Amino acid sequence: MILLIGIGVAIALIAIFVGVSYVKCPPDQVYLISGLKKEPRIIIGKATFRIPFFERVDTLTLKLIQIDVKTSNVPTADYINVDVDAVANIRIPQEANLIQVAARHFLNQPGDFIGQNVQQVLEGNMREIIGQMPLTDLVNNKQLFSQKIQENASDDIKAMGLEIVNLNVQTCTDENGA
């Protein structure tokens, strides 16, 4: 009888240990399991086990993050102040080295926090490109303008472990509202 109770307790303890160790990552997140190894294990969209008390699980979002990028009263190459409104979509790419870079900056942070940091970088790059382009190019060729912003900002964004999926310029108006 005591042997059966001992076996039952052992099975219950093993079941609890397995239940606590089991980790299932959804496809729109990255789990970084760290603790025993020098480099964290990167888990995306699958299940694995961790050793409780020795390993921890941290998260990063893989969801698309939409950012409103606005500038006001920025002089063009023609010295005409313009207001530009654009929308950018960014994400953490599914590359191990970029995930580790993003983890250093954004581990366990919500998408809004990531968006606020990237917004400042994109606004600065947008101001720089506006200052280099004449007003007619800004208004007539928004695709070129958008492409130049993306090219200019890509190194800064990549240094944060992110990538720009797209950037669309919605409006470009001068100080007279035209």
Side-chain angles (χ1 to χ4, degrees):
M1 180 71 167
I2 295 177
L3 179 63
L4 290 175
I5 292 174
I7 292 173
V9 169
I11 290 173
L13 288 175
I14 290 171
I16 290 171
F17 183 77
V18 168
V20 173
S21 301
Y22 183 76
V23 177
K24 186 172 183 181
C25 180
D28 65 345
Q29 286 188 345
V30 175
Y31 283 0
L32 287 102
I33 300 175
S34 59
L36 291 178
K37 296 180 181 178
K38 188 173 184 177
E39 291 292 321
R41 288 186 292 155
I42 297 172
I43 309 298
I44 302 171
K46 58 185 178 180
T48 189
F49 289 95
R50 69 176 179 99
I51 301 172
F53 308 110
F54 294 104
E55 292 181 319
R56 64 180 276 163
V57 178
D58 295 298
T59 61
L60 281 172
T61 183
L62 289 178
K63 292 179 181 176
L64 206 59
I65 301 167
Q66 189 174 51
I67 302 166
D68 222 8
V69 185
K70 295 182 181 184
T71 61
S72 58
N73 294 324
V74 179
T76 64
D78 302 327
Y79 302 105
I80 299 170
N81 289 341
V82 293
D83 299 339
V84 178
D85 187 15
V87 174
N89 289 305
I90 59 142
R91 68 177 173 203
I92 298 172
Q94 293 187 18
E95 298 172 27
N97 60 335
L98 291 177
I99 288 172
Q100 290 180 354
V101 172
R104 281 188 290 241
H105 299 288
F106 306 115
L107 196 63
N108 297 323
Q109 297 295 332
D112 294 341
F113 178 80
I114 297 169
Q116 290 169 355
N117 284 280
V118 173
Q119 181 180 19
Q120 295 170 2
V121 172
L122 290 176
E123 285 175 356
N125 282 283
M126 185 182 287
R127 284 188 188 93
E128 184 178 336
I129 299 301
I130 290 170
Q132 296 172 0
M133 293 181 73
L135 181 60
T136 54
D137 287 350
L138 289 175
V139 174
N140 295 331
N141 198 348
K142 290 181 183 175
Q143 179 129 10
L144 175 66
F145 178 42
S146 172
Q147 183 180 357
K148 284 188 173 191
I149 295 168
Q150 288 182 54
E151 289 171 359
N152 200 43
S154 67
D155 288 340
D156 295 336
I157 300 298
K158 195 170 187 174
M160 290 190 267
L162 304 169
E163 72 178 352
I164 301 172
V165 176
N166 62 13
L167 188 142
N168 294 314
V169 177
Q170 295 180 325
T171 60
C172 182
T173 57
D174 65 8
E175 50 198 16
N176 296 326

